[in-house]
């Protein structure tokens, strides 16, 4: 058995659980590891149908002890979000089954439908994808569910920010002072809460990158209710680290061009963007590793730290 086969193999109890949620006469004929995630193991399961065809499902499994402790909340929220999103026009997976407490599986797990497309995090074509990302996020924020998800949570504080070595110290000190202040008042919106290029699937025609289209939005485990600025800030930070500080700033403009509404005051917008950028300082190693696994091998932790420094500095410079 190859290393890939071992990594792709579904554990026995989980395999039995998945099988109970298949149609009569169906069976798993292949499993493949999906790379690029941070919190969970992801596998694509190819299901053989009794008519002789195949269809795909995706299995999310929380294995790391840190994430297992949080899995019941996250998977329950994701299951609720996928149920809510069905029929809304937002291209999200369909829920098949969930075992948030590992009552049936070795580890907490969620089974969902597979969406066509793939995350695209390369520099090439970013100018085409940014407006598409912005329009999709505006559509998510337009949802008005009958039952709101829980209020957003931010764990980063001014005292927990990890300041990388060699940064522009004055800019970082000023940025940290920004988040010492109380959060601005906001009008609540339905948030994805981890909307960024790694969680958006694209179909990109090889002969026409400009013809890219979004085929899905995945990873709804952090769905929340809060300010649109927070989702915009998170995607902006990720774009800045993937493609350079200018793209982080460009995304907010694209969001407004697509009809999205952000905080009215510049200081309020700055608060959310700085808060998200500083939160990323605590996860640079994990973020950089996931992007390298997804093919951006040049994005070492140090390179990502340097881009984060450039972005934080640009945000503070824009304040004047």
């Amino acid at each position: 058995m190859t290393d890939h086969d071992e990594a792709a193999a579904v554990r026995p109890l989980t395999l039995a659980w998945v099988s109970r949620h298949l149609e009569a006469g169906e069976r798993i004929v292949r499993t493949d590891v999906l790379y690029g995630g941070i919190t969970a193991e992801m596998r694509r399961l190819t299901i053989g149908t009794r008519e002789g065809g195949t269809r795909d499902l995706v299995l999310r499994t929380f294995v790391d002890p840190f994430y297992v402790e949080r899995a019941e909340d996250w998977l329950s929220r994701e299951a609720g979000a996928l149920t809510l999103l069905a029929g809304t026009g937002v291209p999200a997976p369909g829920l098949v089954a969930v075992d948030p407490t590992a009552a049936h599986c070795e580890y907490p797990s969620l089974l969902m439908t597979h969406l066509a497309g793939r995350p695209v995090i390369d520099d090439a074509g970013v100018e085409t994808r940014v407006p598409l990302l912005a329009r999709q996020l505006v559509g998510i924020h337009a949802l008005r569910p009958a039952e709101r998800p829980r209020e957003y949570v931010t764990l980063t504080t001014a005292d927990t920010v990890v300041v990388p070595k060699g940064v522009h110290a004055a800019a970082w000190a000023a940025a940290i002072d920004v988040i010492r202040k109380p959060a601005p008042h906001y009008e609540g919106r339905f948030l994805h809460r981890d909307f960024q290029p790694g969680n958006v699937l694209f179909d990109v025609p090889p002969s026409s990158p400009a013809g890219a289209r979004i085929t899905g939005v995945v990873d709804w485990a952090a769905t929340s209710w809060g300010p649109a600025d927070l989702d915009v800030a998170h995607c902006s930070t990720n774009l800045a680290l993937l493609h350079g500080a200018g793209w982080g700033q460009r995304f907010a403009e694209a969001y407004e061009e697509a009809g999205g509404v952000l905080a009215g005051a510049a200081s309020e917008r700055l608060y959310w963007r700085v808060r998200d950028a500083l939160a990323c300082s605590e996860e640079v190693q994990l973020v950089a590793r996931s992007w390298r696994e997804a093919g951006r091998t040049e994005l070492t932790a140090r390179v990502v730290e340097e881009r984060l420094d450039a972005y934080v500095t640009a945000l503070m410079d824009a304040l004047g």
Side-chain angles (χ1 to χ4, degrees), residues 130-131 133-142 189 191 227-229 231-232 250-262:
V130 162
L133 288 167
R135 285 199 292 272
Q136 183 61 73
L137 190 55
V138 170
I140 292 170
H141 291 167
R189 292 285 184 268
L191 305 183
D229 285 81
D231 262 357
V232 171
R250 169 69 186 121
F251 182 71
E253 298 171 358
Y255 179 83
E256 291 188 290
E257 290 166 2
V261 178
L262 296 173

Side-chain angles (χ1 to χ4, degrees), residues 1-171:
M1 181 178 287
T2 66
D3 289 343
H4 177 271
D5 291 336
E6 292 176 357
V10 179
R11 298 172 181 86
L13 291 177
T14 306
L15 181 62
W17 175 74
V18 169
S19 298
R20 290 197 295 273
H21 292 282
L22 301 180
E23 301 293 332
E26 291 187 331
R27 61 190 179 88
I28 300 173
V29 297
R30 179 183 172 88
T31 62
D32 293 283
V33 176
L34 299 175
Y35 293 100
I38 294 175
T39 59
E41 293 180 352
M42 302 292 293
R43 294 176 176 83
R44 182 176 67 236
L45 311 181
T46 301
I47 310 300
T49 67
R50 62 181 181 179
E51 292 81 13
T54 61
R55 65 187 182 101
D56 290 336
L57 297 175
V58 172
L59 176 67
R60 177 198 296 278
T61 303
F62 287 91
V63 176
D64 184 286
F66 177 84
Y67 298 116
V68 167
E69 288 183 6
R70 295 153 178 80
E72 181 175 2
D73 175 48
W74 288 352
L75 290 182
S76 295
R77 272 200 285 164
E78 180 157 32
L82 296 184
T83 300
L84 181 153
L85 290 164
T88 63
V90 174
L95 177 67
V96 176
V98 63
D99 182 16
T101 62
H104 307 284
C105 305
E106 285 86 351
Y107 297 97
S109 301
L110 184 143
L111 187 66
M112 60 192 134
T113 59
H114 176 267
L115 299 177
R118 61 183 177 86
V120 182
I121 60 173
D122 299 330
D123 286 332
V126 64
E127 67 283 351
T128 297
R129 298 192 303 274
V130 162
L132 297 178
L133 288 167
R135 285 199 292 272
Q136 183 61 73
L137 190 55
V138 170
I140 292 170
H141 291 167
L143 296 175
R144 296 294 182 270
E147 183 177 347
R148 292 180 180 178
R150 78 172 192 183
E151 202 75 8
Y152 78 93
V153 174
T154 57
L155 301 179
T156 302
T157 70
D159 298 321
T160 61
V161 173
V162 178
V163 180
K165 294 180 180 178
V167 300
H168 293 79

Side-chain angles (χ1 to χ4, degrees), residues 142-249:
L143 296 175
R144 296 294 182 270
E147 183 177 347
R148 292 180 180 178
R150 78 172 192 183
E151 202 75 8
Y152 78 93
V153 174
T154 57
L155 301 179
T156 302
T157 70
D159 298 321
T160 61
V161 173
V162 178
V163 180
K165 294 180 180 178
V167 300
H168 293 79
W172 278 71
I176 290 171
D177 281 343
V178 167
I179 68 168
R180 291 188 192 279
K181 302 171 185 175
H185 175 75
Y186 62 87
E187 183 177 351
R189 292 285 184 268
F190 183 85
L191 305 183
H192 181 283
R193 201 60 184 90
D194 192 15
F195 187 87
Q196 42 94 1
N199 284 332
V200 179
L201 308 179
F202 283 89
D203 173 44
V204 183
S207 59
S208 178
R213 64 183 182 91
I214 290 176
T215 58
V217 182
V218 299
D219 196 355
W220 296 86
T223 302
S224 310
W225 188 260
D229 285 81
L230 194 53
D231 262 357
V232 171
H234 189 62
C235 193
S236 294
T237 299
N238 278 267
L239 288 167
L241 302 187
L242 282 166
H243 309 298
W247 286 108
Q249 295 170 305

Side-chain angles (χ1 to χ4, degrees), residues 300-316:
T300 63
R302 185 56 191 154
V303 168
V304 174
E305 285 178 342
E306 290 171 351
R307 291 188 176 188
L308 181 60
D309 179 36
Y311 182 52
V312 169
T313 302
L315 288 175
M316 301 313 298

Side-chain angles (χ1 to χ4, degrees), residues 272-286:
W272 299 112
R273 291 177 204 175
V274 166
R275 174 168 281 287
D276 189 85
L278 295 182
C280 189
S281 73
E282 303 170 31
E283 301 180 333
V284 164
Q285 296 285 345
L286 291 173

